[in-house]
Amino acid sequence: MLPPLPHHIAGQWINQRFDRDVRKHYFRGMEFAGPEGDPGWFGPDSAVWHVHSHTPALIFGLQCASYLERLDPSIFWMGMHHSRLIGKDSSGQSTGQLDPAGIPVRLGHSVAFFIGTAYGNTETAERLARTVRAMHHTIKGTRPDGLPYDADDPDWLRWNYATVVWGIATAHEIYHPRPLRGKALDRYYGEFMRVGHALGAEDLPTTKAETLECLKEYLPRLGLTHGNAMATGINLTEPMQGAVDWAIRDTMPSWAAQLVMYRPPNVLERTARRTAVWTSLNGLYAAMGQAPEFEEAKARVAGGTTVPHTEPKYVLGTDPTLDRQSVEAELV
């Protein structure tokens, strides 16, 4: 037997870390292998299956979405007050600093949600959406300037949805080896609305053009908080953080790039930098191989599906009221 090649060794190491740090803790209770013929919310011929099956590009897209959505000061303060990403002092107050222990928790929940709702079975998608809605119901508070925020606010839900679908689709369009474009990419935007509706959002954009217009509509409400400014651009001194930050800011719509004072370099430098990012993301994908959950999902529908896809069942306003402790018990 030939010895394993270097990229195989790297892939085994990455997969072992993913199993230990993410899959073991955050994929529990998620079902991909059955029931036979259940297409889930999208199904094997969907644009969503194609886009979300590239895990490194998906994760990068979620980072782009998170960067853009935090330009809404209310969302920034929601994160400061409620997110596990932010450390808390002994009295439970936000320290304003990233909590190293909270980073894998947030990453794990996000990856599990966008993989589980994409190609998990119908019950998995329903359960994940129900849990996220329950968490949103608990996120209410007041910004330091006295303005209230509420994660169930329809405008917030619409903005949050638009940033997510834009972030994932844009990362896919730039960095996937076989990207969807034009009407094929618009099909992704149209399909992904099912996730937005399952989380309670309404009046959602259905195409790339509509999504970009939706995002720009919010510009008068946006701003660069001190916390955001300290976590981007020249304020980052660690080279790897700076490289990732550049790649994220490079995806921003022109008006958002202006807001964070980002100007693309000349075409040669930008092409070289994007090529390096493309190589890194697709090198990771090649090393890791196809996610076992995606392989299970394909096998689940190999003999055909009962319907092309199922639909989220949520009816706005029908969720029970749960406290934060009860909701978090569902997440562990």
Side-chain angles (χ1 to χ4, degrees):
M1 179 180 296
L2 295 174
L5 296 174
H7 72 281
H8 291 147
I9 297 173
Q12 291 171 1
W13 182 83
I14 294 169
N15 283 326
Q16 288 169 359
R17 292 289 299 270
F18 192 86
D19 283 340
R20 185 192 70 192
D21 298 338
V22 177
R23 186 173 284 117
K24 177 181 176 181
H25 299 288
Y26 307 109
F27 281 47
R28 289 183 295 181
M30 295 168 60
E31 180 58 56
F32 298 88
E36 184 176 351
D38 177 4
W41 285 351
F42 300 102
D45 296 324
S46 67
V48 167
W49 274 37
H50 177 64
V51 172
H52 287 231
S53 64
H54 193 302
T55 306
L58 173 66
I59 293 173
F60 178 71
L62 292 174
Q63 291 178 293
C64 297
S66 179
Y67 188 101
L68 184 59
E69 74 176 4
R70 290 196 311 272
L71 295 179
D72 179 342
S74 290
I75 291 183
F76 173 80
W77 287 108
M78 286 183 199
M80 286 292 105
H81 295 159
H82 298 277
S83 176
R84 292 191 184 190
L85 278 173
I86 306 302
K88 305 294 188 294
D89 61 23
S90 57
S91 64
Q93 297 299 308
S94 170
T95 64
Q97 303 296 317
L98 285 176
D99 178 4
I103 294 173
V105 175
R106 175 63 184 274
L107 173 65
H109 287 320
S110 295
V111 172
F113 178 82
F114 289 102
I115 285 179
T117 53
Y119 45 87
N121 68 17
T122 300
E123 176 51 37
T124 290
E126 290 286 346
R127 181 176 65 82
L128 288 168
R130 188 165 56 244
T131 301
V132 170
R133 289 196 311 269
M135 181 61 76
H136 285 172
H137 298 334
T138 71
I139 299 176
K140 307 177 193 302
T142 305
R143 291 165 28 172
D145 58 6
L147 291 177
Y149 59 75
D150 182 346
D152 284 327
D153 177 79
D155 281 343
W156 178 85
L157 285 169
R158 187 169 183 260
W159 163 257
N160 178 258
Y161 169 81
T163 63
V164 170
V165 70
W166 165 84
I168 297 172
T170 299
H172 167 83
E173 192 174 7
I174 298 173
Y175 291 117
H176 196 282
R178 294 180 293 108
L180 304 177
R181 302 194 189 282
K183 290 182 179 179
L185 188 63
D186 277 345
R187 184 182 171 207
Y188 172 77
Y189 279 94
E191 291 175 357
F192 196 76
M193 283 196 303
R194 293 167 206 157
V195 174
H197 290 153
L199 295 180
E202 298 181 296
D203 187 27
L204 300 177
T206 63
T207 65
K208 176 181 177 179
E210 288 182 6
T211 301
L212 288 171
E213 185 60 33
C214 171
L215 292 171
K216 193 173 182 180
E217 287 173 6
Y218 285 74
L219 182 54
R221 313 180 191 190
L222 307 182
L224 190 62
T225 65
H226 180 256
N228 277 341
M230 292 304 296
T232 191
I234 61 173
N235 288 319
L236 292 177
T237 57
E238 204 280 321
M240 183 56 69
Q241 286 182 326
V244 173
D245 177 73
W246 179 91
I248 291 171
R249 289 186 296 138
D250 184 58
T251 67
M252 293 293 117
S254 59
W255 53 267
Q258 291 166 349
L259 185 60
V260 297
M261 293 169 286
Y262 169 75
R263 181 176 296 173
N266 66 67
V267 65
L268 292 178
E269 181 179 347
R270 191 182 200 189
T271 299
R273 287 190 176 204
R274 282 191 169 187
T275 299
V277 177
W278 191 98
T279 301
S280 297
L281 291 175
N282 288 290
L284 277 173
Y285 179 68
M288 295 174 69
Q290 197 68 262
E293 292 80 12
F294 190 57
E295 295 293 347
E296 290 176 354
K298 290 191 294 184
R300 186 181 79 231
V301 297
T305 61
T306 53
V307 291
H309 64 83
T310 56
E311 291 280 355
K313 300 174 183 177
Y314 177 54
V315 176
L316 199 64
T318 59
D319 281 334
T321 301
L322 300 174
D323 60 26
R324 180 76 177 227
Q325 186 175 4
S326 299
V327 176
E328 290 192 343
E330 290 286 322
L331 294 173
V332 297

